[in-house]
Amino acid sequence: RKLREDTAGEFGGLGVGLVEEAPGDVRVERVIADGAADRAGLRVGDRFLAIDGEAIATLGALSDVASELRGVPGTKVEIRIMRKGWSKPREVLLIRRHVRVDSVESELLPGGTGYVRIYSFQERTDHELGQALSELRKKSRKSGGLKGLVLDLRDNPGGLLASVKQCLTLFLSERAPVCTVKGRSYSSEKHFTGSPDRERRYPVSILVNERSASGAELMSGVMQHYSKASELGDDEAPYLESL
């Protein structure tokens, strides 16, 4: 059920994204518009100290903290938070709501540079990414078209392999090998991007950090690899076929 919620991006909860800066130090990284957290006035940077009277430090991993916050829409949860500038923590009572989390956000920066952030690779991520790129191209027409793209994968924990492959399809100019999956009970299985429906005509810079994992590592690694493919010598080129 938890896996289904994460990959579908829909569940009952507060509409807040959390990040663990250090063991027991959990802070708000994202507030979903019109969610319970947004309605209660929570802000990016707020530190969670306790949930229903239980200290964050005793709840375990960040995934355990998230599980405590999720629940049936309409039910209540009390959190203790601390914000920069406050003299002491405050208790906030929230009512869980149905949450739908978009995995992609984008904006056009000055100079015709597009910015796209992918929070995780969910069932709809490739569709959302395609829409975001299309909107950026439309918005940039007045300034001569999209000059470049910043793809932000920081704090992206990964997700569905199929979603990663479809997202890569939007950037690679031809069908290409992505990875090989090996298991105990079956032979190795190669995965490829699909047939691209557009050609990218602008440079891409990718942002990652120590919390970019799994599918985020795969996407950034594959794009970095193929950006250098034209520089490979004859003795290195076979590596492309061994992926």
Side-chain angles (χ1 to χ4, degrees):
R1 185 181 66 181
K2 174 67 163 58
L3 178 62
R4 176 64 181 171
E5 289 176 349
D6 289 342
T7 56
E10 295 189 50
F11 50 86
L14 306 185
V16 62
L18 302 176
V19 62
E20 189 173 38
E21 298 288 350
D25 186 3
V26 174
R27 300 174 186 268
V28 175
E29 180 196 35
R30 181 187 186 192
V31 179
I32 307 300
D34 202 37
D38 184 35
R39 291 189 172 197
L42 269 64
R43 300 178 183 174
V44 172
D46 286 349
R47 183 183 177 190
F48 277 38
L49 303 180
I51 301 174
D52 287 332
E54 186 171 359
I56 292 293
T58 66
L59 291 175
L62 184 61
S63 58
D64 298 316
V65 174
S67 295
E68 288 294 319
L69 296 176
R70 293 184 182 183
V72 179
T75 57
K76 298 178 181 179
V77 59
E78 186 177 69
I79 58 173
R80 182 183 304 128
I81 63 173
M82 186 63 187
R83 179 178 299 170
K84 186 177 181 180
W86 287 359
S87 59
K88 61 181 181 180
R90 299 180 185 180
E91 306 288 340
V92 181
L93 183 65
L94 300 99
I95 300 176
R96 296 180 177 94
R97 307 186 71 208
H98 178 264
V99 178
R100 176 170 175 171
V101 182
D102 291 330
S103 57
V104 176
E105 289 185 354
S106 64
E107 64 176 304
L108 185 64
L109 303 177
T113 298
Y115 170 85
V116 174
R117 180 159 191 179
I118 303 179
Y119 287 96
S120 64
F121 293 95
Q122 303 172 358
E123 293 175 352
R124 304 185 305 271
T125 301
D126 62 305
H127 176 68
E128 293 176 11
L129 178 58
Q131 285 187 319
L133 294 176
S134 179
E135 285 298 316
L136 287 173
R137 285 195 296 271
K138 290 179 181 178
K139 292 178 179 179
S140 64
R141 285 174 182 169
K142 293 181 179 180
S143 58
L146 206 57
K147 302 297 191 302
L149 179 72
V150 176
L151 189 61
D152 194 346
L153 300 180
R154 291 176 296 177
D155 301 312
N156 183 320
L160 299 174
L161 175 58
S163 177
V164 178
K165 292 193 297 181
Q166 288 302 108
C167 288
L168 282 166
T169 297
L170 298 173
F171 294 101
L172 301 183
S173 60
E174 58 186 23
R175 187 171 184 269
V178 173
C179 66
T180 298
V181 177
K182 296 183 179 180
R184 294 190 183 97
S185 59
Y186 60 91
S187 59
S188 63
E189 182 180 79
K190 290 188 176 182
H191 291 266
F192 297 80
T193 59
S195 299
D197 57 4
R198 62 176 61 90
E199 183 178 350
R200 175 172 58 85
R201 299 181 183 277
Y202 46 82
V204 178
S205 296
I206 301 179
L207 304 180
V208 295
N209 63 7
E210 68 277 7
R211 288 187 290 269
S212 302
S214 187
E217 293 174 292
L218 180 60
M219 184 168 189
S220 59
V222 169
M223 289 187 66
Q224 183 182 45
H225 174 80
Y226 283 110
S227 71
K228 297 180 178 179
S230 60
E231 304 171 9
L232 295 178
D234 293 338
D235 57 331
E236 298 173 295
Y239 174 69
L240 293 176
E241 298 301 321
S242 66
L243 280 175

